[in-house]
């Protein structure tokens, strides 16, 4: 019998006016599910509790354990990072997002409705592996995991401008998002300077002196489900970016013609070494990071998730809480 270990983001509990966790817990008790629940106040607590539970757990319990995060996608990535760090075996994981939608959940078919997402977890009878990406920076030993993409440069700069400007936030508030994005992009075009990038892929070095945008993309569905071999990460480097070239890039990407444009450089590899010697804006899965240098090793890997996404109807998946 499976034991479900729920890690609940305490920030979510404090603002849980709709008693989402109370509803989820009622469902768990109704179905007589074997579960534990731990409210988490800080990231260090995740590591402490996992160490305590996994060190004391018998092998049989570990084989029947599923870890579930309840909260934001950032909280889920933190739980997964700590779980990978502590456990030598791949313990299946699942997540329930609260008041949030993200690309990874949408792609694999996990409902944004917490109760339906719980149903998809409890209906599962075996794990399913998805592809993820990790970043290990030589200047910082902590691993960071991304489910969708890592962005450095222009797009991250635009996002930073929008999130940190009262004026742009006001435009979003009054449903003028296109105006806010246009103004932020104009500001980024004026102020951003090019930066140098060095990549190493399969022992081959590539040097780009004037780069403006970098995107490392992960595709969650495995190319070869029989062997569960990790997919290649998709690396894109743009070396010319201005208002004119931008309007070439948009249709080229839409019609899969970016390989024809000389200032867009595309690579595929399971492991990528990326070096950037200047402080640049960056983000992981739409989460803004502090400006930093990069001497990073990126790699793709597979991890087991505990979902049966097709056990609910399409209308249930799209149902809001």
């Amino acid at each position: 019998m499976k034991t479900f270990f729920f890690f609940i983001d305490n920030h979510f509990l404090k603002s849980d006016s709709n008693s989402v966790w109370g509803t989820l817990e009622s469902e768990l008790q109704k179905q007589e599910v074997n579960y534990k629940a731990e409210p988490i106040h800080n990231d260090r607590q995740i590591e402490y509790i996992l160490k305590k539970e996994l060190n004391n757990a018998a092998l049989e319990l570990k084989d029947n354990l599923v870890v579930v995060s309840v909260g934001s996608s950032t909280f889920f990535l933190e739980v997964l990072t700590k779980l990978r760090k502590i456990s030598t075996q791949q313990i299946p994981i699942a997540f329930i997002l609260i008041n949030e939608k993200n690309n990874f959940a949408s792609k694999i078919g996990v409902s944004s409705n917490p109760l339906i997402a719980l149903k998809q977890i409890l209906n599962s009878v075996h794990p399913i592996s998805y592809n993820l990406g990790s970043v290990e920076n030589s200047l910082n030993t902590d691993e960071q995991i991304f489910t969708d993409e890592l962005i450095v440069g222009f797009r991250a700069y635009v996002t930073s401008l929008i999130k940190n400007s009262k004026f742009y936030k006001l435009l979003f508030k009054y449903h003028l998002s296109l105006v806010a994005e246009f103004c932020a992009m104009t500001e980024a075009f004026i102020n951003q300077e090019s930066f140098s990038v060095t990549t190493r892929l399969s022992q081959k070095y590539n040097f780009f002196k004037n780069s403006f945008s970098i995107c490392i993309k992960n595709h969650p569905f495995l190319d070869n489900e029989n062997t569960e071999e990790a997919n290649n990460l998709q690396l894109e480097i743009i070396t010319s970016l201005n208002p004119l070239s931008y309007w070439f890039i948009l249709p080229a990407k839409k019609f899969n013609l970016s390989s024809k444009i000389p200032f867009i450089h595309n690579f595929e590899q399971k492991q990528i070494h990326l070096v950037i010697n200047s402080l640049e804006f960056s983000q992981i899965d739409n989460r803004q990071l502090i400006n930093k240098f990069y001497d990073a090793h990126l790699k793709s890997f597979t991890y087991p998730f505990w979902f049966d996404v097709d056990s609910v109807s399409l209308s249930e998946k799209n149902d809001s809480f």
Side-chain angles (χ1 to χ4, degrees):
M1 184 179 181
K2 287 291 178 186
T3 298
F4 294 88
F5 200 163
F6 288 83
F7 286 83
I8 310 157
D9 188 353
N10 193 58
H11 298 296
F12 147 67
L13 283 178
K14 286 180 179 178
S15 59
D16 188 18
S17 57
N18 294 327
S19 190
V20 175
W21 172 245
T23 305
L24 295 176
E25 194 162 34
S26 296
E27 185 65 24
L28 291 168
Q29 292 169 355
K30 179 182 175 182
Q31 295 195 34
E32 298 182 346
V33 174
N34 189 19
Y35 76 96
K36 292 181 180 180
E38 286 281 355
I40 301 298
H41 303 274
N42 58 65
D43 295 342
R44 286 176 292 179
Q45 193 182 355
I46 300 172
E47 188 169 345
Y48 172 78
I49 292 171
L50 280 172
K51 278 182 179 177
K52 182 181 175 183
E53 290 294 327
L54 296 179
N55 287 341
N56 295 335
L59 183 61
E60 183 182 353
L61 176 60
K62 288 181 184 178
D63 289 339
N64 289 289
L65 185 65
V66 176
V67 173
V68 185
S69 78
V70 181
S72 67
S73 56
T74 302
F75 180 70
F76 156 67
L77 291 177
E78 204 57 52
V79 173
L80 178 56
T81 301
K82 301 299 185 189
L83 183 59
R84 269 172 53 85
K85 179 181 177 181
I86 290 163
S87 178
T88 54
Q89 71 183 83
Q90 289 191 319
I91 295 172
I93 195 167
F95 56 84
I96 297 173
L97 298 180
I98 308 297
N99 299 324
E100 182 182 338
K101 293 182 180 180
N102 75 0
N103 287 339
F104 179 70
S106 299
K107 284 177 182 176
I108 67 174
V110 175
S111 176
S112 59
N113 181 323
L115 202 56
I116 302 301
L118 178 64
K119 188 175 179 181
Q120 290 174 309
I121 293 167
L122 299 181
N123 286 347
S124 182
V125 293
H126 60 79
I128 180 169
S129 291
Y130 293 109
N131 204 83
L132 302 171
S134 74
V135 186
E136 290 185 9
N137 203 325
S138 301
L139 306 173
N140 181 356
T141 55
D142 290 340
E143 178 189 49
Q144 290 180 297
I145 294 172
F146 61 97
T147 58
D148 187 35
E149 60 186 4
L150 165 66
I151 296 171
V152 182
F154 181 78
R155 282 174 57 195
Y157 184 20
V158 171
T159 302
S160 175
L161 289 171
I162 292 172
K163 288 186 176 180
N164 295 298
S165 167
K166 290 181 180 179
F167 173 65
Y168 295 146
K169 286 179 181 178
L170 189 65
L171 290 175
F172 268 91
K173 182 179 178 181
Y174 290 101
H175 309 290
L176 297 170
S177 57
L178 290 177
V179 177
E181 289 171 5
F182 178 79
C183 292
M185 285 175 60
T186 303
E187 187 176 345
F189 279 130
I190 293 169
N191 295 324
Q192 189 185 3
E193 296 179 356
S194 63
F195 52 92
S196 63
V197 177
T198 303
T199 65
R200 181 166 66 90
L201 303 96
S202 298
Q203 307 305 317
K204 182 181 179 181
Y205 285 88
N206 301 282
F207 302 94
F208 303 93
K209 288 186 178 180
N210 299 297
S211 303
F212 287 88
S213 180
I214 298 172
C215 178
I216 298 98
K217 191 85 175 172
N218 170 61
H219 296 290
F221 295 104
L222 300 183
D223 294 334
N224 191 337
E225 293 184 4
N226 295 325
T227 63
E228 294 195 355
E229 182 183 352
N231 297 341
N232 287 333
L233 295 173
Q234 315 291 318
L235 170 64
E236 176 192 80
I237 299 175
I238 299 176
T239 52
S240 176
L241 194 61
N242 54 55
L244 181 61
S245 65
Y246 183 78
W247 295 110
F248 279 101
I249 292 169
L250 285 181
K253 285 188 175 182
K254 185 174 182 180
F255 296 105
N256 295 319
L257 296 172
S258 56
S259 60
K260 306 292 184 183
I261 297 181
F263 50 82
I264 299 180
H265 309 271
N266 293 296
F267 306 92
E268 289 189 14
Q269 200 72 38
K270 291 181 176 63
Q271 296 189 42
I272 299 168
H273 185 194
L274 180 71
V275 179
I276 303 172
N277 292 320
S278 55
L279 286 170
E280 300 300 333
F281 290 92
S282 57
Q283 65 184 52
I284 284 182
D285 290 350
N286 293 320
R287 177 167 56 93
Q288 200 174 340
L289 304 176
I290 59 171
N291 294 12
K292 60 181 179 179
F293 303 98
Y294 273 87
D295 184 0
H297 293 270
L298 299 97
K299 63 181 179 181
S300 62
F301 67 94
T302 63
Y303 201 86
F305 283 74
W306 197 263
F307 286 112
D308 185 349
V309 295
D310 295 322
S311 64
V312 299
S313 66
L314 191 60
S315 60
E316 282 182 297
K317 281 185 189 180
N318 297 327
D319 184 27
S320 58
F321 188 74

